[in-house]
Amino acid sequence: MRLPNPSAPQPEISPAPAPAPASAPEPGDLPPVRAQVKWFDATRGFGFLVSDAVDGDILIHFTVLREHGRRSLPEGAVVECIPQRLERGLQARKVLSIDAAAAAPPLPRRVPAATDRADRHALAGQAGEFETVEVKWFNRNKGYGFVVRVGVDAQDVFVHMETARQCGVGELQQGQLLEARIAESAKGLTAVELRLP
């Protein structure tokens, strides 16, 4: 049997690379939750998730989707994420998995008939005086959203993108305060005129 020569150069042995550390918890992290996509605006790069495991909606930004090769999420998709409690509410800090199987299929676009649309000009004669409203949510891709009366009731008031455009109030943001004239249409309450307070 031949023994190794201790004076002969020994091959360098590199230590095995350490496994990549799991995402370290950050202050405000909550346990992982399963949540469903409420809506996601691909143009603006964010949306909201809802989960029975936490109170309130969870903001999700497109940057946490990058490692999954995505920039947006379909409505209804199920997401497992680590939410983080921040000053302004809950936000998804890390997405663990995405299951788009439960997502709602995209609806085919159809041009509504003139009779399907609320005639805002005709409704203006029935509308009340301007009153303060808050934008509940607005989706530019869908072309509509909802506002709620401040301090009166929680009934949603439909607002169309054309109304916002024609009144010159610009793009509506969640939580933004406006003044609106509201009328009852065949489909419910509708904002027929908007202005900045």
Side-chain angles (χ1 to χ4, degrees):
M1 176 170 153
R2 197 169 202 194
L3 294 173
N5 181 352
S7 61
Q10 299 295 317
E12 282 190 35
I13 299 174
S14 301
S23 181
E26 292 185 10
D29 276 3
L30 299 176
V33 297
R34 288 179 56 81
Q36 192 164 30
V37 177
K38 183 176 182 179
W39 61 266
F40 195 94
D41 186 333
T43 305
R44 293 168 63 192
F46 72 91
F48 285 92
L49 308 173
V50 290
S51 174
D52 292 335
V54 294
D55 289 332
D57 293 352
I58 303 168
L59 172 72
I60 184 161
H61 194 263
F62 81 94
T63 54
V64 298
L65 302 174
R66 285 186 191 150
E67 67 182 83
H68 296 275
R70 303 184 72 103
R71 288 189 48 82
S72 68
L73 291 169
E75 189 174 312
V78 176
V79 175
E80 185 178 6
C81 69
I82 298 174
Q84 188 175 46
R85 190 169 301 283
L86 301 174
E87 193 175 306
R88 294 178 59 178
L90 295 173
Q91 182 169 343
R93 183 180 67 78
K94 180 168 183 62
V95 171
L96 304 173
S97 67
I98 299 169
D99 179 4
L107 296 173
R109 283 208 179 269
R110 73 171 186 89
V111 177
T115 56
D116 289 351
R117 296 183 187 158
D119 183 352
R120 289 183 292 281
H121 298 295
L123 290 173
Q126 305 167 20
E129 296 298 315
F130 278 100
E131 55 188 298
T132 304
V133 296
E134 180 179 351
V135 178
K136 183 174 181 180
W137 67 268
F138 191 84
N139 187 317
R140 195 174 78 185
N141 289 340
K142 292 181 178 180
Y144 68 88
F146 291 92
V147 297
V148 291
R149 291 174 163 132
V150 174
V152 177
D153 60 27
Q155 189 174 3
D156 291 349
V157 178
F158 177 82
V159 61
H160 195 274
M161 185 164 45
E162 279 305 307
T163 303
R165 255 191 220 138
Q166 290 171 359
C167 296
V169 296
E171 190 170 321
L172 301 181
Q173 304 291 325
Q174 184 175 357
Q176 179 182 5
L177 293 178
L178 301 165
E179 291 182 345
R181 292 185 63 221
I182 299 169
E184 184 77 42
S185 74
K187 294 184 178 181
L189 296 177
T190 301
V192 295
E193 196 173 345
L194 299 171
R195 71 182 182 195
L196 297 173

